[in-house]
């Protein structure tokens, strides 16, 4: 017992008897106390730990009751020799046991070179990619609508909902998409899902067989890579250039490509808009090959230089485009509401998989959101956000030019909530991102968006989530980090 480490802290909110109980139990389960081994008397342990005897007595009693200890009259207390195996595999034991070796199949799963699943749930700091201006969200109006919906809740609204989504929201989304994105749709084509990630999973589950080949933009969106891989698709990277996806290369990549994932309005991550001729070529390819186009229109609401470009879906007369949108950027990610505009011939298939997936999207936020759109809050919010983002983007560009000079080359800054910058030859973007992270600035290394080994080195600088001044200040830090690296490499 001399080597047994039993930490007891007085002010950590956990009762002392519970800490002693848990510490002894852990020691038994992970083998530091062996079956049959004698444990100290309650008086001895209380003295060792510097606590009164009462909590030690309570802990022993509990362990005796649970069968971890046995008491022998006159000779003391011992670890039970008959702890059943299932207890050694209890949740506590599992936590302590070494992680089981993954099977060969499981070992294939980790995605190399890509941002970790937790990279989005970090504190919100300048340059973090993917976050909108949560500080400017109209909380009061939203809270009013949500609480009104809560108060009005009837039994019907607490019951299972429509797998397609709350009708009022589907109507409002269809109206919005027709008017602002040129999407050809009616409410009966709109399927509500918990975000565009879920939309991608659903589309993949509905349209693909395992090992189907799916083309993706190179570089491209890691969330899409993950969703498609989860459906056992084989990813076929196709390069992008100033006009977006290089459709001629797609055509050369074989006849058996079942689908292509694209971000035509604002290519993720490099930011260009797909040209009209590429759009027609892509639609033509899809019709000839009977392939599907998964169009991700994730942040199309925000354009700063020219007028918004309509969705590719609006040009599709042959039902090849599955259009995916989200409220994560236009409103806030935690709302977890996205949508798919499904070509009518595929509706029943999609609805079946929607049902199999998770039945339906929680109703309360859908109802509040429908009102948010209907009452004009959404349109007003977008107008405000466009000018706020323009200011933030301009501050970022000013800062880059002032502090980074020719250490970075701005790739594209016409739209969306981030700017992609390219780094000088020889500078490694993951190294820069790590150095910035240590100084409280969160960027995403461009190289993590590539599937193939040839990777451009750059950074994605999110400007949605921080005020103009903080963005400007962060460019100074970026300039210092890049300046130090430039000096070190001379
Ligand atoms: C290309 C792209 N699609 C979709 C999303 C949003 O995903 P979700 O709707 O699941 O929050 C993001 C977020 O950054 C994105 O970059």
């Amino acid at each position: 017992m001399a080597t047994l480490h039993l930490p007891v802290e007085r002010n950590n909110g956990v009762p002392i008897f519970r800490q002693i109980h848990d510490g002894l139990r852990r020691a038994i389960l992970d083998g530091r106390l062996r079956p049959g081994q004698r444990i100290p008397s309650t008086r001895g342990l209380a003295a060792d730990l510097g606590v009164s005897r009462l909590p030690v007595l309570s802990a022993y009693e509990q362990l005796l009751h649970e069968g971890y200890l046995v008491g022998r009259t006159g000779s003391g207390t011992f670890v039970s020799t008959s702890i059943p195996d299932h207890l050694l595999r209890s949740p506590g034991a599992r936590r302590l046991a070494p992680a089981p070796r993954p099977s060969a199949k499981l070992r294939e799963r980790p995605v190399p070179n890509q941002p970790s699943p937790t990279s989005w749930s970090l504190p919100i700091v300048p340059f973090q990619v993917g976050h909108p201006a949560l500080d400017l969200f109209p909380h009061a109006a939203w809270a009013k609508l949500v609480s009104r919906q809560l108060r009005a809740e009837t039994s019907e609204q607490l019951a299972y909902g429509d797998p397609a989504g709350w009708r009022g929201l589907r109507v409002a989304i269809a109206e919005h998409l027709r008017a602002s994105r040129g999407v050809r749709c009616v409410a009966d084509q709109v399927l509500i899902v918990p975000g565009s990630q879920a939309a991608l999973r659903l589309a993949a589950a509905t349209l693909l067989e395992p090992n189907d080949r799916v083309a993706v933009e190179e570089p491209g969106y890691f969330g899409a890579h993950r969703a498609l891989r989860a459906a056992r698709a084989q990813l076929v990277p196709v390069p992008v250039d100033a006009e977006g996806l290089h459709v001629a290369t797609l055509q050369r990549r074989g006849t058996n490509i079942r689908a292509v994932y694209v971000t035509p309005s604002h290519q993720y991550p490099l930011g260009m808009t797909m040209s009209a001729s590429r759009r027609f070529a892509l639609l033509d390819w899809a019709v000839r090959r009977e392939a599907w186009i998964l169009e991700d229109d994730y942040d199309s609401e925000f354009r700063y230089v020219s007028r918004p470009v309509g969705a590719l879906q609006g040009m599709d007369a042959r039902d090849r485009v599955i259009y995916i949108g989200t409220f994560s950027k236009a409103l806030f990610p935690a709302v977890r509401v996205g949508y798919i505009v499904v070509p009518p011939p595929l509706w029943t298939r999609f609805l079946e998989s929607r049902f199999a997936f998770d039945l339906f999207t929680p109703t309360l936020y859908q109802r509040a959101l429908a009102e948010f759109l209907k009452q004009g809050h959404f349109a007003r919010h977008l107008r405000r956000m466009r000018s706020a983002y323009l200011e933030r983007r301009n501050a970022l560009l000013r800062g880059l030019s002032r502090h980074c000079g020719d250490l970075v080359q701005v790739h594209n800054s016409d739209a969306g909530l981030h700017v992609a910058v390219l780094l000088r030859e020889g500078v490694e973007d993951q190294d820069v991102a790590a150095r910035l992270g240590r100084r409280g600035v969160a960027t995403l290394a461009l190289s993590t968006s590539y599937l193939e080994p040839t990777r451009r080195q750059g950074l994605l600088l999110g400007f949605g989530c921080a005020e103009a001044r903080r963005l400007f200040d962060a460019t100074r830090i970026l300039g210092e980090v890049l300046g130090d690296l430039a000096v070190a490499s001379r």
Side-chain angles (χ1 to χ4, degrees):
M1 193 72 197
T3 55
L4 186 64
H5 179 57
L6 207 58
V8 170
E9 284 177 43
R10 275 174 207 286
N11 297 317
N12 71 356
V14 182
I16 301 284
F17 103 86
R18 170 61 58 200
Q19 295 187 46
I20 297 170
H21 166 274
D22 291 355
L24 285 169
R25 183 174 171 278
R26 249 198 314 276
I28 294 169
L29 289 173
D30 69 10
R32 279 175 294 147
L33 285 175
R34 290 181 313 280
Q37 186 175 346
R38 184 185 180 139
I39 63 166
S41 67
T42 50
R43 204 181 301 278
L45 186 59
D48 281 353
L49 298 176
V51 300
S52 79
R53 203 171 149 223
L54 201 64
V56 183
L57 273 170
S58 305
Y60 278 34
E61 240 167 62
Q62 179 76 18
L63 290 164
L64 284 161
H65 179 68
E66 290 168 349
Y68 291 99
L69 300 180
V70 287
R72 292 185 205 140
T73 323
S75 54
T77 309
F78 299 81
V79 177
S80 169
T81 50
S82 56
I83 297 174
D85 274 357
H86 78 266
L87 274 184
L88 293 170
R89 285 194 296 271
S90 71
R94 223 178 288 137
R95 231 182 298 125
L96 298 160
R101 276 165 61 82
S103 71
K105 258 195 171 146
L106 283 176
R107 251 180 275 139
E108 287 165 15
R109 301 295 291 274
V111 187
N113 184 53
Q114 295 213 335
S116 84
T118 51
S119 56
W120 258 340
S121 45
L122 298 171
I124 298 169
V125 292
F127 296 164
Q128 198 161 83
V129 177
H131 273 95
L134 301 174
D135 53 326
L136 300 178
F137 183 69
H139 287 281
W142 176 250
K144 214 163 155 183
L145 290 177
V146 173
S147 62
R148 189 179 301 157
Q149 293 299 331
L150 257 179
R151 282 199 304 275
E153 220 149 34
T154 61
S155 302
E156 190 208 333
Q157 287 163 356
L158 295 175
Y160 285 95
D162 184 343
W166 182 255
R167 174 106 201 138
L169 180 60
R170 296 164 59 212
V171 170
I173 289 175
E175 215 165 276
H176 164 70
L177 292 178
R178 280 194 305 267
S180 70
R181 304 294 307 127
V183 172
R184 297 197 225 192
C185 67
V186 292
D188 287 340
Q189 286 172 259
V190 178
L191 203 55
I192 308 289
V193 287
S196 41
Q197 193 64 18
L200 284 166
R201 287 297 309 264
L202 186 66
T206 311
L207 302 173
L208 303 176
E209 299 289 333
N211 296 320
D212 272 354
R213 300 175 78 219
V214 178
V216 291
E217 297 165 322
E218 172 80 340
Y221 176 45
F222 58 88
H225 297 163
R226 281 206 165 87
L228 294 165
R229 277 189 166 130
R232 300 276 183 258
Q234 281 183 46
L235 303 190
V236 180
V238 173
V240 295
D241 63 13
E243 290 188 65
L245 187 85
H246 203 261
V247 181
T249 306
L250 171 66
Q251 281 158 347
R252 285 198 296 275
R253 291 276 149 100
T255 50
N256 60 348
I257 292 181
R258 289 289 297 149
V260 58
Y261 166 83
V262 278
T263 48
S265 305
H266 183 230
Q267 202 273 333
Y268 182 97
L270 290 174
M272 52 281 193
T273 306
M274 189 185 275
S275 68
S277 59
R278 289 281 171 86
R279 287 170 187 239
F280 284 120
L282 185 60
L283 288 167
D284 183 56
W285 168 86
V287 171
R288 282 169 196 277
R289 298 280 165 84
E290 297 188 354
W292 305 110
I293 299 174
L294 306 177
E295 176 179 18
D296 182 354
D297 210 23
Y298 64 111
D299 68 0
S300 56
E301 293 86 358
F302 307 114
R303 271 203 97 73
Y304 314 107
V305 173
S306 51
R307 288 177 57 75
V309 184
L312 176 67
Q313 195 269 7
M315 301 164 71
D316 172 27
R318 305 287 292 277
D319 290 334
R320 302 315 307 179
V321 178
I322 288 89
Y323 176 90
I324 293 170
T326 178
F327 287 102
S328 287
K329 314 294 153 185
L331 293 180
F332 60 101
V335 71
R336 294 323 295 147
V337 177
Y339 41 89
I340 312 179
V341 177
V342 179
L346 294 177
W347 177 255
T348 312
R349 265 163 80 179
F350 263 86
L351 199 61
E352 273 296 328
S353 350
R354 173 77 196 86
F355 189 73
F357 188 57
D358 65 345
L359 302 191
F360 70 105
T361 307
T363 314
L364 174 65
Y365 270 10
Q366 290 193 63
R367 283 168 24 218
L369 200 45
E371 285 304 309
F372 196 80
L373 267 79
K374 267 196 253 166
Q375 295 182 14
H377 294 292
F378 186 58
R380 221 171 4 260
H381 180 59
L382 289 183
R383 275 197 300 278
R384 277 188 65 213
M385 288 304 95
R386 278 186 200 111
S387 60
Y389 290 142
L390 179 63
E391 187 198 341
R392 292 179 178 195
R393 162 198 174 264
N394 290 347
L396 169 60
L397 295 179
R398 263 198 319 278
L400 288 174
S401 134
R402 163 85 65 89
H403 298 301
C404 302
D406 60 0
L407 294 169
V408 298
Q409 180 197 335
V410 176
H411 190 268
N412 203 305
S413 62
D414 293 357
L417 301 178
H418 73 263
V419 165
V421 298
L422 303 178
L423 299 175
R424 278 184 178 176
E425 188 87 23
V427 181
E428 291 204 5
D429 56 9
Q430 299 203 38
D431 178 28
V432 178
R435 286 166 191 260
L436 286 167
R438 288 196 285 276
R439 296 189 58 182
V441 175
T443 55
L444 207 57
L446 175 62
S447 63
T448 61
S449 300
Y450 285 82
L451 294 176
E452 294 197 316
T454 315
R455 295 170 180 150
R456 286 163 100 174
Q457 302 291 308
L459 298 170
L460 307 187
L461 309 177
F463 58 80
C465 65
E467 292 150 32
R469 186 186 43 76
R470 290 182 67 207
L471 291 165
F472 188 81
D473 291 348
T475 58
R476 186 176 42 72
I477 299 175
L478 174 60
E480 285 167 12
V481 167
L482 292 175
D484 290 348
L485 284 170
V487 170
S489 72
R490 266 188 220 135

